[in-house]
Amino acid sequence: MELEIRKIVTICEETFIEGFKEAEKPVRIAAAMAVIKNPFAGKYVEDLQPLVNTYSEKLGDLLPKRAIEALGITGKEVEAFGKGALVGLDGEIEHGSAIIHTLTFGNPFRTICDNAETLLPSAEKRAAAGASLDLAIKHKRDAKTRSHHMTFETRIPDAPRNDEIVISAVVASSGRAHPRIGSLHKELEGVFPS
């Protein structure tokens, strides 16, 4: 199986005012999305390892680099991240999951983001071309840091075609503009005995 990428789309958003108040620093989020061929579209295939072997490591390296480049920062400056798979109508959600839910995808991504320690939050679904996918984002070192729990809506007008998958990597240079709900750490104090 050969790596087949039809296009890569990168989007970047900077939010300066949130909730009618200027942000202390702009909230900057970028996503890089690869539109790839799904060789298993339209049929059931038991062994999905060829998808993993062809796409996971390459996209786990390429896409976060593209997203970070769009923000004009380094991997060290990334504070939060996430991933996603949007599968065309003739594919299974499992096809996208096979690519992104592997260490061969996640480990390069975490390494690029200054040896991040948390699991990458994810979003997966099957839909027609032009559908949106809300990418989940969490802090790269501590999944309980609520200020970095966000979503980032992405969409490519002509993808995924029925026999394609859109694989996404998203990074953020900070958390939300005005976080006020506190850390999950504080809420969990006393809940579990030590």
Side-chain angles (χ1 to χ4, degrees):
M1 183 179 299
E2 285 188 33
L3 180 75
E4 188 176 332
I5 299 175
R6 179 165 66 88
K7 66 162 75 174
I8 294 176
V9 176
T10 305
I11 57 173
C12 183
E13 174 181 283
E14 294 182 88
T15 301
F16 301 98
I17 298 171
E18 176 66 32
F20 309 99
K21 180 180 176 185
E22 190 171 330
E24 188 176 308
K25 67 177 187 175
V27 177
R28 304 180 70 234
I29 303 172
M33 301 164 284
V35 180
I36 63 171
K37 182 77 169 172
N38 182 357
F40 298 153
K43 59 188 170 189
Y44 179 83
V45 176
E46 185 65 32
D47 182 9
L48 301 182
Q49 194 61 43
L51 276 176
V52 175
N53 295 343
T54 302
Y55 290 115
S56 291
E57 186 174 5
K58 292 174 184 83
L59 296 180
D61 181 68
L62 173 68
L63 295 178
K65 286 179 179 174
R66 291 283 184 104
I68 291 166
E69 183 180 286
L71 289 183
I73 62 174
T74 67
K76 189 172 189 154
E77 295 169 290
V78 169
E79 291 188 14
F81 56 13
K83 63 187 176 184
L86 182 61
V87 180
L89 294 178
D90 287 343
E92 294 178 58
I93 294 172
E94 189 73 2
H95 297 158
S97 295
I99 295 168
I100 66 171
H101 290 304
T102 63
L103 292 177
T104 54
F105 184 90
N107 282 347
F109 198 157
R110 280 185 285 275
T111 298
I112 290 162
C113 294
D114 192 33
N115 297 308
E117 298 164 358
T118 58
L119 291 175
L120 288 146
S122 65
E124 306 104 281
K125 74 178 187 180
R126 179 177 42 242
S132 65
L133 185 64
D134 291 349
L135 299 172
I137 302 170
K138 288 194 177 184
H139 196 280
K140 73 177 185 181
R141 300 242 183 263
D142 184 356
K144 293 184 177 90
T145 302
R146 285 184 175 148
S147 57
H148 290 62
H149 291 194
M150 303 180 279
T151 56
F152 188 59
E153 184 177 356
T154 60
R155 186 177 86 77
I156 302 174
D158 70 341
R161 294 175 180 163
N162 289 349
D163 64 347
E164 292 179 332
I165 305 171
V166 177
I167 300 295
S168 303
V170 61
V171 296
S173 64
S174 70
R176 296 186 308 276
H178 313 297
R180 302 185 296 282
I181 60 173
S183 168
L184 183 56
H185 290 285
K186 185 154 181 66
E187 192 172 323
L188 290 174
E189 284 177 11
V191 174
F192 299 106
S194 28

